[in-house]
Amino acid sequence: MKSKTLFDKIWDSHVVRSIENGPDVLYIDRHYIHEVTSPQAFNGLKERGIPVFRPGKTIATADHNIPTKNQHLPIKDELSRNQVEKLTENCQKYGIELYGLNHPKNGIVHVIGPELGYTLPGITIVCGDSHTSTHGAFGTIAFGIGTSEVEMVLATQCILQPKPRKMRITVDGELQKGVTSKDIIMYIISEISASGATGYFVEYCGSVIRSLSMEGRMTICNMSIEMGARGGLITPDETTFEYLRKLPAIPGIDDLKSSINEWRKLRSDSDAVFDRDLKFDAGLIKPMITYGTNPGMGMAIDDSIPLSDENGNKASSSFLKSLDYMGFKPGMKLLGHPVDYVFLGSCTNGRIEDFRAFAQVINGRKKADNITALIVPGSKKVEEQMAAEGLTELYKSAGFEVRQPGCSSCLAMNEDKIPQGKYAVSTSNRNFEGRQGPGARTLLASPFTAAAAAITGRITDPRVFINKEQKVKK
Amino acid sequence: MAKVKFDILESTCVPLPFENVDTDQIIPARFLSATSRLGFGDNLFCDWRYAKTGEKNSEFVLNNPDFSGKVLVTGKNFGSGSSREHAVWAIFDYGFRAVVSSFFADIFMNNALNNGLLPIVISDDLLKKLTTLVQNKPNTKVKIDLEKQTFTILSTGDSVKFAINPYKKDCLLKGLDDIDFLLNMKNLITGYENNKSLAK
């Protein structure tokens, strides 16, 4: 039998039919939906007069468009309120489980999927959101889709999809102190560019990836899309199974032990062939920061902005337009540059470990006066954990206000916008023009680096605050 | 899903020669609160097209009366970032029927094909030539023939074959959509589920 990658094995076992010269009809085990990309899909079902084919396989949450303050009050913005209400209506009408606003388990779709035990090894997951790649951390084929495809899955539990090519990214070596999974993935993207993996599905391998916690793995897989990849996955192992064992419940799994025994078989064959194979040395990775307007425009925090774009073109209009938007010049250093806002949260860095890491840097220090901070847990569960571990109190006494869960300032659909021209060190995933509000200037970084900026009011190397005795969280 | 037919298109072009144009630029997130597919064209490229005061930014190509047409000519890695199909709805609603680039992001490409907006990939060199040509002579016309899969610059005679998945090509030529196709496969899908005991 021909040797296969983990991706091949999961994909091939979900193909209902291969269309000659066309895409595959791929069966979807779990479908996550949210308020922003689903209403038009439900309208489509209504126009066709058809039901949701397998309502039990879709779960819903409201996250993108909700406020992070006073969630018990009606949403002020009329369009946002209408969109959230539409989701509730549609879920009721079609019999879909909803973890909506004010549900005790509400949160960002890519944070609650794993928390609630819906994300499992070996399955296929889609969601009308490009960061669906997050769930690949469990050894899952998970990818973002458009609204027409959401309608397709609601109508038939299947999707028409050409099979992507396969890329293997291996990270070996010794990770330096103060360097996190966020820095690893930002480094990889800066090396291969924001389109370097377009057309591929990535498998992340190597000793450094294996040493990461599930939270760290989710951060890596989450940003696969930022280098253009369809998704990214990691072979499930003891770390994965331990995470699953600790969950209060896993819907649809009666005998976890025997499931785990099955999941142990999920791995690429040793002689499996990848279309592209990349290797990185973790020892070379430093805390990272972006300087431009796509996630490929990243560098080590103590580096200088390059003099030319990725192709060595100094006069590239896109490169210069990007730096101009940021208020930066080629060759400039960013250390010490003043910052106005800090955002900790999002589906990239909104999990409990991220709030612990940020707190590790605060460590009794106070927020800088010039900083407005948005501290936004990824879910109600994370919010509860923060309170239980004393983190909420620690943040408060350092001058930080902890908000209620949601996507918040990552895409600024709600009122959590960064004002025109202001600089925000953000733990989210995109530094596009206007992403965090019209004219906002985003500097992507890890929770450590965000915390260092929050304390000093400037772009600061977080390694200054991570002393040798402290155990470094990955 | 939209059932839109596409066969032959002859049109002038609008040049937008930037790389990595992401879907947040095409349609900013603050316009995504709508629950229908219509009307997004008014806010296409909003933050480039309008000043903060709401006035038109005269330097932006969509506000330049010299340029018009149903074909958007743009830089590589167009449509990267968010999966929002609203980006395709906005481009289509504005009146474009094809986007030409040397490279598209995956999700954007699928979304475009699902809405009858034809993404056409041409070489970097031809893209450069076309962009310069259009910028200098805004009346430059191109012809897209989906059946023959050809893209032609009429004034120069440059003509290339472009790639498209045969299944998708057939759907566009006939105005069919994927959901009808999948609904006709219900027995096969149920069979797959029964085989795997998934039909819950």
Side-chain angles (χ1 to χ4, degrees):
Chain A
M1 210 179 76
K2 206 174 154 236
S3 56
K4 285 183 167 187
T5 66
L6 171 59
F7 173 77
D8 289 324
K9 290 178 189 179
I10 304 172
W11 182 282
D12 294 351
S13 70
H14 285 81
V15 172
V16 175
R17 198 187 127 190
S18 279
I19 301 167
E20 207 181 330
N21 294 320
D24 287 337
V25 178
L26 194 71
Y27 192 82
I28 300 303
D29 296 312
R30 292 256 189 252
H31 184 206
Y32 298 156
I33 61 171
H34 61 84
E35 75 277 25
V36 177
T37 58
S38 67
Q40 293 87 351
F42 283 110
N43 290 349
L45 294 186
K46 203 172 153 193
E47 280 158 26
R48 285 170 208 264
I50 53 173
V52 172
F53 182 51
R54 298 290 181 223
K57 291 182 186 291
T58 294
I59 66 155
T61 185
D63 54 4
H64 281 63
N65 210 348
I66 58 172
T68 54
K69 266 182 171 177
N70 294 320
Q71 290 186 344
H72 62 289
L73 297 176
I75 300 175
K76 280 186 218 154
D77 179 73
E78 195 188 327
L79 286 175
S80 303
R81 190 174 63 243
N82 176 52
Q83 200 173 50
V84 171
E85 283 167 1
K86 266 276 175 312
L87 180 72
T88 309
E89 257 170 53
N90 284 325
C91 288
Q92 278 166 356
K93 179 173 169 190
Y94 292 101
I96 290 166
E97 180 95 56
L98 171 65
Y99 298 91
L101 188 57
N102 294 316
H103 187 290
K105 292 174 180 170
N106 172 258
I108 302 174
V109 62
H110 308 309
V111 177
I112 67 167
E115 276 176 3
L116 298 172
Y118 287 110
T119 298
L120 296 173
I123 68 171
T124 51
I125 300 177
V126 294
C127 172
D129 187 283
S130 60
H131 292 110
T132 308
S133 57
T134 312
H135 308 275
F138 291 78
T140 306
I141 289 186
F143 55 90
I145 57 175
T147 298
S148 292
E149 294 167 318
V150 171
E151 188 183 339
M152 224 181 273
V153 179
L154 290 173
T156 67
Q157 205 56 39
C158 288
I159 189 169
L160 285 169
Q161 206 70 191
K163 190 176 178 181
R165 285 171 290 171
K166 291 150 290 181
M167 181 188 286
R168 178 166 56 192
I169 292 181
T170 309
V171 188
D172 283 318
E174 190 88 14
L175 208 56
Q176 290 182 41
K177 189 165 56 85
V179 177
T180 68
S181 58
K182 180 65 167 289
D183 302 300
I184 299 174
I185 189 65
M186 284 179 63
Y187 174 80
I188 295 171
I189 300 167
S190 75
E191 287 289 306
I192 73 170
S193 92
S195 58
T198 302
Y200 291 91
F201 208 99
V202 177
E203 181 176 335
Y204 298 98
C205 307
S207 57
V208 172
I209 302 294
R210 282 198 300 278
S211 73
L212 297 174
S213 66
M214 287 316 289
E215 285 83 357
R217 294 178 188 189
M218 283 190 253
T219 302
I220 299 256
C221 290
N222 172 278
M223 288 190 75
S224 303
I225 182 73
E226 307 312 336
M227 50 188 176
R230 209 67 185 83
L233 48 60
I234 294 169
T235 303
D237 60 9
E238 271 315 307
T239 305
T240 322
F241 307 142
E242 200 43 38
Y243 179 98
L244 294 170
R245 282 188 200 109
K246 283 184 181 159
L247 292 176
I250 301 182
I253 300 282
D254 305 320
D255 181 359
L256 184 59
K257 214 172 165 186
S258 75
S259 295
I260 288 176
N261 283 334
E262 281 305 304
W263 294 332
R264 281 186 210 283
K265 297 173 195 159
L266 290 170
R267 55 183 58 247
S268 291
D269 295 328
S270 55
D271 54 347
V273 179
F274 290 82
D275 301 290
R276 231 183 135 194
D277 221 336
L278 299 175
K279 286 187 168 59
F280 295 97
D281 176 359
L284 300 176
I285 307 176
K286 293 179 179 178
M288 296 287 293
I289 195 154
T290 57
Y291 55 84
T293 57
N294 73 61
M297 299 174 85
M299 64 179 192
I301 193 157
D302 54 3
D303 226 336
S304 308
I305 295 175
L307 297 170
S308 59
D309 74 359
E310 65 211 40
N311 305 316
N313 184 357
K314 280 188 184 174
S316 154
S317 60
S318 303
F319 178 69
L320 295 175
K321 180 174 179 285
S322 176
L323 291 189
D324 188 49
Y325 178 86
M326 292 301 295
F328 295 153
K329 297 255 182 300
M332 198 173 148
K333 275 203 174 270
L334 290 185
L335 276 181
H337 193 283
V339 173
D340 309 292
Y341 280 73
V342 165
F343 171 53
L344 173 64
S346 87
C347 60
T348 309
N349 284 124
R351 298 181 183 79
I352 188 65
E353 228 176 57
D354 302 312
F355 292 87
R356 289 179 192 144
F358 193 96
Q360 198 183 332
V361 174
I362 297 178
N363 197 23
R365 299 178 182 90
K366 299 272 182 219
K367 180 182 81 62
D369 290 340
N370 62 317
I371 294 289
T372 306
L374 283 149
I375 308 292
V376 189
S379 69
K380 294 267 195 214
K381 187 178 173 188
V382 174
E383 190 183 30
E384 283 162 20
Q385 270 176 295
M386 282 180 69
E389 294 181 16
L391 292 177
T392 313
E393 204 43 50
L394 184 147
Y395 278 83
K396 221 191 221 171
S397 56
F400 296 96
E401 173 200 10
V402 178
R403 299 289 190 101
Q404 290 171 299
C407 297
S408 179
S409 190
C410 173
L411 84 165
M413 266 197 86
N414 67 359
E415 59 268 44
D416 301 345
K417 292 179 174 58
I418 311 295
Q420 171 99 19
K422 298 290 181 192
Y423 288 95
V425 173
S426 178
T427 65
S428 53
N429 39 58
R430 288 186 174 138
N431 50 345
F432 298 153
E433 279 186 37
R435 171 78 178 183
Q436 297 194 285
R441 291 161 163 170
T442 303
L443 304 144
L444 298 178
S446 75
F448 278 157
T449 304
I455 288 163
T456 61
R458 297 173 178 277
I459 297 175
T460 303
D461 191 328
R463 290 173 293 186
V464 180
F465 296 108
I466 313 278
N467 69 45
K468 279 174 189 154
E469 292 77 45
Q470 277 182 309
K471 190 175 173 279
V472 176
K473 294 258 167 41
K474 286 164 183 164
Chain B
M1 291 242 57
K3 301 179 191 193
V4 182
K5 265 192 173 186
F6 194 113
D7 41 29
I8 290 174
L9 176 68
E10 217 180 281
S11 170
T12 48
C13 306
V14 176
L16 186 71
F18 299 121
E19 293 174 1
N20 300 310
V21 175
D22 57 77
T23 53
D24 274 83
Q25 305 320 312
I26 300 171
I27 185 87
R30 61 185 187 279
F31 300 115
L32 305 187
S33 300
T35 53
S36 92
R37 289 168 184 253
L38 304 174
F40 287 103
D42 292 343
N43 293 312
L44 175 67
F45 297 118
C46 182
D47 292 342
W48 289 344
R49 199 165 144 198
Y50 301 102
K52 234 198 151 196
T53 52
E55 281 165 31
K56 282 184 180 175
N57 168 11
S58 60
E59 283 171 23
F60 188 62
V61 69
L62 293 192
N63 298 323
N64 184 339
D66 292 347
F67 297 102
S68 64
K70 292 181 176 175
V71 179
L72 182 67
V73 177
T74 187
K76 76 164 186 201
N77 199 26
F78 186 79
S80 56
S82 156
S83 61
R84 61 188 70 162
E85 196 162 310
H86 313 65
V88 169
W89 300 336
I91 294 172
F92 193 92
D93 190 50
Y94 184 85
F96 291 113
R97 292 296 174 265
V99 187
V100 180
S101 175
S102 58
F103 195 89
F104 289 98
D106 280 340
I107 304 179
F108 179 87
M109 181 94 117
N110 282 353
N111 287 343
L113 288 167
N114 283 339
N115 286 278
L117 178 74
L118 194 62
I120 294 178
V121 180
I122 60 174
S123 69
D124 277 319
D125 288 343
L126 186 60
L127 181 63
K128 210 179 260 176
K129 182 174 178 179
L130 174 66
T131 307
T132 313
L133 203 61
V134 172
Q135 282 175 323
N136 294 332
K137 291 182 183 163
N139 60 354
T140 301
K141 271 193 170 179
V142 297
K143 182 178 176 182
I144 297 160
D145 187 327
L146 178 58
E147 174 70 53
K148 292 185 184 143
Q149 288 177 237
T150 52
F151 177 81
T152 311
I153 306 174
L154 292 174
S155 58
T156 64
D158 282 283
S159 188
V160 288
K161 263 201 112 149
F162 64 87
I164 181 170
N165 184 295
Y167 164 81
K168 275 294 173 194
K169 174 181 169 179
D170 198 49
C171 285
L172 283 173
L173 286 170
K174 293 177 182 157
L176 301 173
D177 87 3
D178 290 356
I179 294 180
D180 289 335
F181 179 84
L182 287 172
L183 286 172
N184 284 326
M185 289 180 60
K186 273 280 172 72
N187 286 342
L188 203 65
I189 296 168
T190 313
Y192 172 91
E193 289 179 324
N194 290 337
N195 212 4
K196 298 219 161 194
S197 336
L198 285 170
K200 282 178 208 163

